[in-house]
Amino acid sequence: MSLSDKIHNARSILRDLRKPEIGARIWKRFKPSKADTLWYYREVANAFQKLLPGQLADELAEIVGGFKKARVAVARKLAVILHAMWKTNTPFHWRANAT
């Protein structure tokens, strides 16, 4: 049960990391720091791979490994958008609650 719960939680984090409207702000949901939360999930994934090796433990490790890739992907998307705006001289209009 615990492994399935960790997989679900890690997937939820990864899904929100990939959403430009949430992205890195997801770490504000956690009481521990971002670094501590990442450390915790890496350690949990490593422990499950040692103690309960198999497909689910590997899946958790893969999801946790995707946290960093998701941050890079969101940053890349933002860079493409900003570059396009710069090339077309499109002004940026900030809206606090844009969807």
Side-chain angles (χ1 to χ4, degrees), residues 9-60:
N9 293 345
R11 275 192 193 132
S12 296
I13 293 169
L14 186 56
R15 183 176 43 251
D16 286 347
L17 273 172
R18 289 177 174 160
K19 292 179 181 177
E21 65 271 18
I22 299 174
R25 289 183 303 151
I26 188 154
W27 304 116
K28 293 179 182 179
R29 293 181 187 172
F30 300 93
K31 192 170 185 171
S33 69
K34 172 186 166 184
D36 288 344
T37 303
L38 290 171
W39 172 86
Y40 169 77
Y41 274 95
R42 279 192 304 270
E43 291 302 310
V44 166
N46 290 337
F48 274 117
Q49 283 190 308
K50 289 177 186 172
L51 300 172
L52 193 62
Q55 184 178 353
L56 288 177
D58 292 344
E59 184 174 350
L60 179 59

